[in-house]
Amino acid sequence: MAKSETVRNAERLVEVMMKGNDASHDAAHAFRVRDLALSLAHEEGLDSSPISLEIVELAALLHDIGDYKYLRNPSEEKIVENFLEKEGIDTDKSSKILAIIKKMGFKEEISGVTNGSHSPEFGVVQDADRLDAIGAIGIARCFTFGGSRNRVLHDPNIQPRSDLSKDQYMNKDEQTTVNHFHEKLLKLKDLMNTKAGKTRAEKRHKFMEEFLKEFYQEWAGKA
């Protein structure tokens, strides 16, 4: 199916706005999430509605523009809203896209914002973003982000934090990269929304478990 002009414009916006980010949250991440979200949407039966697919694709593409981790200017928080308005996206569709983006983050999960019912479109977009955070790609992204913030790989004396609040999760200054697996990534399998997402998450989760097992053995000089 041919891309709409709005989707092509969204892709260009993503490339411009995410150009300065490290490779854990670059344009390639947004494009992978878009592809995953559309694939999950088809498996979940949303492909019967072109409107649903458009909501899914645009929310997935634009979800990390204005991310607090990379915010350079407070005005960037309005970029997606302004883009949708400029593209002539109707108010109902725009509000659904913005609601998905606002509520899909892990920090919102911790704070209880996403508890309760949600739309099928939300489910596939959030699952897609979480799938890209686990498995082989997730491991690569985790260490890329940690390296960009000069975090140590691992310190046995620093334990993963449990029962995190939203503020604690957002403040990772004293944490190690490996602890991020325990504080977030290993939890994502059980937080998937869709049947298709759950199935894919199982394989990626097992890959991370095997990686960590090998990592700890090598760290201790046992492998």
Side-chain angles (χ1 to χ4, degrees):
M1 187 172 66
K3 292 180 183 178
S4 70
E5 186 63 28
T6 295
V7 168
R8 287 195 291 270
N9 288 340
E11 290 174 340
R12 286 191 282 267
L13 179 65
V14 167
E15 289 174 341
V16 170
M17 294 306 303
M18 303 181 76
K19 186 177 181 180
N21 295 359
D22 63 83
S24 71
H25 292 81
D26 59 1
H29 162 65
F31 296 153
R32 287 194 306 271
V33 172
R34 183 265 306 275
D35 293 344
L36 279 167
L38 289 176
S39 178
L40 294 175
H42 286 291
E43 290 186 48
E44 293 293 313
L46 298 184
D47 52 348
S48 61
S49 170
I51 292 175
S52 288
L53 290 183
E54 184 178 17
I55 290 170
V56 166
E57 183 162 19
L58 290 175
L61 277 172
L62 302 170
H63 78 278
D64 266 343
I65 293 178
D67 185 334
Y68 75 97
K69 296 186 294 296
Y70 299 91
L71 208 60
R72 295 169 286 265
N73 187 308
S75 66
E76 293 180 10
E77 294 179 343
K78 288 286 188 179
I79 286 176
V80 173
E81 184 176 349
N82 294 339
F83 169 80
L84 296 174
E85 183 178 349
K86 182 180 178 182
E87 289 295 315
I89 304 298
D90 67 68
T91 303
D92 181 63
K93 198 183 297 182
S94 177
S95 65
K96 289 178 180 177
I97 293 168
L98 293 171
I100 291 171
I101 293 171
K102 182 178 180 180
K103 297 179 181 179
M104 65 184 279
F106 188 68
K107 65 183 186 301
E108 277 66 43
E109 183 92 35
I110 292 172
S111 63
V113 170
T114 58
N115 291 344
S117 61
H118 53 71
S119 69
E121 293 87 356
F122 174 91
V124 297
V125 176
Q126 186 180 60
D127 280 4
D129 190 38
R130 290 178 169 179
L131 283 172
D132 205 57
I134 60 179
I137 290 288
I139 292 170
R141 290 182 63 215
C142 184
F143 284 100
T144 296
F145 183 78
S148 75
R149 303 302 166 100
N150 294 317
R151 291 186 188 141
V152 297
L153 292 178
H154 175 53
D155 184 341
N157 295 316
I158 301 177
Q159 296 299 307
R161 300 165 297 178
S162 59
D163 299 321
L164 288 174
S165 68
K166 180 178 177 178
D167 287 341
Q168 287 173 321
Y169 172 73
M170 293 172 71
N171 179 17
K172 301 185 179 74
D173 291 344
E174 296 181 2
Q175 272 306 314
T176 70
T177 296
V178 166
N179 279 355
H180 188 61
F181 285 89
H182 300 284
E183 294 181 354
K184 176 184 177 181
L185 306 187
L186 292 171
K187 298 177 180 180
L188 296 181
K189 173 178 70 71
D190 295 327
L191 295 174
M192 304 300 285
N193 302 290
T194 66
K195 182 178 179 181
K198 292 176 191 291
T199 299
R200 297 194 194 192
E202 287 287 345
K203 178 182 178 182
R204 296 188 184 217
H205 183 86
K206 289 177 182 177
F207 190 89
M208 289 194 302
E209 288 184 321
E210 289 300 315
F211 169 80
L212 287 172
K213 180 180 178 182
E214 178 69 16
F215 181 94
Y216 289 130
Q217 288 181 335
E218 292 183 12
W219 188 273
K222 297 179 180 178

